[in-house]
């Protein structure tokens, strides 16, 4: 795995001309955020050695180098999921490659189901913590100390200082933010009513099929992480609750301008 990471990093390093230290991962329906980037290069995943390829609608599948708010960044327009048939270490592979080319701070977004019945579609949630028990840990197997320690600390998976900055940005722009725990699942099925209730009982505020494996790999590598969910459906409600991927994408698009503003201002302050 280490050799594959290094090979991908060597391929990408000439494209990282300004030594970006900020990485971004864009979730379902949030690809328009790339319009904020002054793009210098966009590389299809298929061109990068050992990179997986996105198979999900709403994930375009390019690694983008450019600038946001005057800062050099590298962004994943489209991520990989365990439910696509990828192994957890394949899902984490791009994060480790980002680290290998110099990324120190990782910003992640995702589309998630709301578990708190008082929330509404379109809300933005700062991820303050996560529960990963329902996913497969990407660090299983023999540890390579060149990538990180055998037993990485996860007491602060999402950097508190970045969360505080995001709160301040939202307040200055009259944006209401939720905060809570992201509960990671494998997918690809949306949750049953009973599963939503269980996740709520266990302390989850939002549930989704991505992010936690990326965050575990990032923290294993010593990266600082900030995460934000767009609440694209509410799982616990009385009326008929039929959820489609198309509706998820639509809700994500509608909330995207607020998420974009927060990410842009957060990056500008790094």
């Amino acid at each position: 795995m280490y050799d594959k990471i290094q090979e991908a990093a060597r391929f990408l390093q000439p494209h990282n001309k300004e030594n970006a230290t900020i990485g971004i991962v864009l979730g379902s329906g949030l690809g328009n955020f790339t319009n904020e980037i002054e793009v210098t290069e966009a590389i299809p995943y298929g061109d990068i050695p050992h990179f997986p390829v996105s198979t999900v609608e709403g994930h375009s599948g390019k690694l983008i180098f450019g600038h946001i708010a005057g800062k050099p960044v590298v962004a994943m327009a489209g991520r990989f999921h365990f439910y696509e048939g990828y192994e957890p270490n394949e899902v984490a592979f791009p994060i480790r490659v980002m680290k290998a080319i110099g990324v120190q701070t990782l910003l992640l977004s995702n589309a998630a189901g709301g578990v708190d019945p008082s929330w509404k579609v379109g809300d933005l949630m700062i991820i303050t913590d996560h529960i990963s028990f329902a996913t497969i840990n990407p660090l299983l197997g023999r540890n390579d100390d060149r990538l990180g320690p055998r037993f990485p600390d996860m007491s602060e998976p999402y950097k508190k200082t970045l969360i505080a900055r995001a709160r301040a940005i939202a307040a200055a722009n009259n944006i209401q933010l939720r905060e809570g725990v992201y509960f990671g699942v494998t997918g690809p099925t949306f949750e049953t009513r009973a599963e939503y209730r269980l996740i709520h009982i266990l302390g989850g505020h939002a549930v989704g099929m991505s992010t936690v494996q990326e965050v575990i790999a990032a923290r294993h590598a010593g990266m600082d992480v900030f995460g934000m969910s767009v609440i694209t459906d509410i799982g616990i409600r009385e009326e008929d609750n039929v959820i489609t991927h198309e509706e998820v994408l639509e809700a994500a698009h509608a909330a995207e301008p607020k998420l974009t503003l927060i990410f842009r201002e957060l990056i500008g302050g790094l």
Side-chain angles (χ1 to χ4, degrees), residues 84-225:
E84 295 177 78
Y86 293 116
E87 295 296 327
N89 59 5
E90 292 178 299
V91 173
F93 184 81
I95 306 303
R96 288 169 164 158
V97 172
M98 282 189 179
K99 172 67 176 182
I101 65 173
V103 169
Q104 298 297 325
T105 303
L106 184 67
L107 279 61
L108 304 108
S109 67
N110 62 53
V115 182
D116 188 320
S118 69
W119 292 8
K120 62 183 185 298
V121 170
D123 280 350
L124 295 179
M125 186 190 85
I126 293 176
I127 305 175
T128 57
D129 208 339
H130 71 231
I131 296 171
S132 65
F133 297 155
T135 61
I136 308 299
N137 196 304
L139 307 186
L140 286 174
R142 184 185 297 273
N143 189 66
D144 189 331
D145 292 338
R146 294 171 293 184
L147 300 178
R150 170 74 282 185
F151 300 107
D153 176 61
M154 291 295 289
S155 61
E156 189 181 341
Y158 303 88
K159 190 73 172 177
K160 292 178 181 178
T161 54
L162 295 176
I163 290 172
R165 289 180 197 172
R167 288 191 193 117
I169 292 165
N173 290 276
N174 296 312
I175 297 174
Q176 182 188 30
L177 290 181
R178 307 290 190 176
E179 297 187 20
V181 174
Y182 180 89
F183 194 103
V185 296
T186 63
T189 51
F190 290 112
E191 291 67 42
T192 68
R193 291 174 182 270
E195 287 167 344
Y196 273 118
R197 291 194 297 271
L198 176 63
I199 291 166
H200 184 57
I201 291 168
L202 292 176
H205 297 87
V207 56
M209 308 169 191
S210 67
T211 301
V212 293
Q213 291 170 327
E214 298 159 345
V215 174
I216 289 169
R219 293 301 302 135
H220 182 238
M223 300 164 77
D224 292 336
V225 178

Side-chain angles (χ1 to χ4, degrees), residues 230-258:
V230 178
I231 304 303
T232 51
D233 63 87
I234 303 297
I236 298 178
R237 58 190 184 191
E238 294 303 322
E239 67 268 25
D240 288 341
N241 186 26
V242 178
I243 302 166
T244 69
H245 188 57
E246 290 72 25
E247 289 171 330
V248 168
L249 296 180
E250 182 179 350
H253 286 311
E256 195 169 36
K258 293 183 291 184

